[in-house]
Amino acid sequence: MYKFTLEWFEEGRKFSRTFSAGDQTKQKDQFLLGRDESQCDIVFKDSAKTVSRLHAAIVYDPQKQQLLLKNLTSNRPNPNPVIVNGKAIALESVPLSSGNVIKLGRISITLTNLEWTQTQQVYGVRCRNGHLVPYDYIGDFCPHCGVSLQGEGTVIIPNPNQLNQ
Ligand SMILES: [Zn+2]
């Protein structure tokens, strides 16, 4: 599990937002950055339009346990640069760490407080709203949203401990 904060300035105001694993985002395990509210999780006003409508993504890589930054404009004829710590990234993804400065157009975003926590929790069921809940709750109600865990849309997740035996 992970958690991170993004800080940036726009129109003389400081913005700070914290994100974590399991947050509801437009695409699972991705945090999309750009000007378009309908496509992005992190939206910049950027009245000068130096940031693209859909510009970059912070993507969780579960294999490497890393957060990667991707330039989502790289397949365009004229990509809009994404600059991390002064280096422009095009096709490759760059692993992020605390203190990194990401530049989209004229906006500088600082990534801070990146934390990783190991979770020992074994999940047994996913409610129809997507919450992961321990086995103890099977047949009960989701502790996050209260829907029945017997109802339609409930998914039973195989126990990895049992699969390995
Ligand atoms: Zn739920």
Side-chain angles (χ1 to χ4, degrees):
M1 304 296 258
Y2 55 87
K3 200 174 150 183
F4 62 94
T5 300
L6 297 179
E7 294 178 349
W8 70 95
F9 283 91
E10 271 204 277
E11 293 165 352
R13 236 187 95 193
K14 185 180 179 179
F15 293 82
S16 172
R17 283 184 63 193
T18 298
F19 302 90
S20 48
D23 279 3
Q24 288 285 334
T25 52
K26 309 270 188 212
Q27 290 181 43
K28 191 177 161 12
D29 287 329
Q30 297 202 20
F31 300 85
L32 302 174
L33 295 85
R35 271 191 298 114
D36 185 352
E37 249 176 85
S38 67
Q39 297 186 81
C40 299
D41 304 297
I42 302 143
V43 180
F44 306 99
K45 282 202 185 75
D46 185 34
S47 50
K49 300 191 177 176
T50 59
V51 177
S52 293
R53 286 158 55 83
L54 180 60
H55 198 149
I58 295 173
V59 180
Y60 171 58
D61 180 337
Q63 255 92 50
K64 293 183 182 158
Q65 289 267 305
Q66 280 180 333
L67 290 177
L68 302 173
L69 187 70
K70 285 186 180 175
N71 185 344
L72 298 179
T73 74
S74 57
N75 57 2
R76 291 188 192 171
N78 295 305
N80 195 352
V82 171
I83 296 164
V84 181
N85 292 336
K87 184 175 177 280
I89 62 166
L91 292 174
E92 75 276 32
S93 304
V94 176
L96 292 171
S97 51
S98 248
N100 282 176
V101 177
I102 301 161
K103 205 154 185 283
L104 304 181
R106 61 174 192 178
I107 304 206
S108 286
I109 304 135
T110 305
L111 180 120
T112 61
N113 303 323
L114 177 58
E115 285 172 25
W116 296 94
T117 51
Q118 289 300 319
T119 172
Q120 298 300 320
Q121 187 73 69
V122 176
Y123 292 112
V125 59
R126 188 167 66 225
C127 87
R128 68 175 147 92
N129 291 320
H131 301 117
L132 293 170
V133 176
Y135 277 98
D136 303 350
Y137 284 93
I138 289 177
D140 205 323
F141 298 95
C142 174
H144 303 286
C145 67
V147 302
S148 164
L149 293 175
Q150 292 180 312
E152 206 186 324
T154 301
V155 178
I156 306 290
I157 300 162
N159 187 335
N161 300 331
Q162 282 171 359
L163 289 176
N164 291 338
Q165 277 168 11

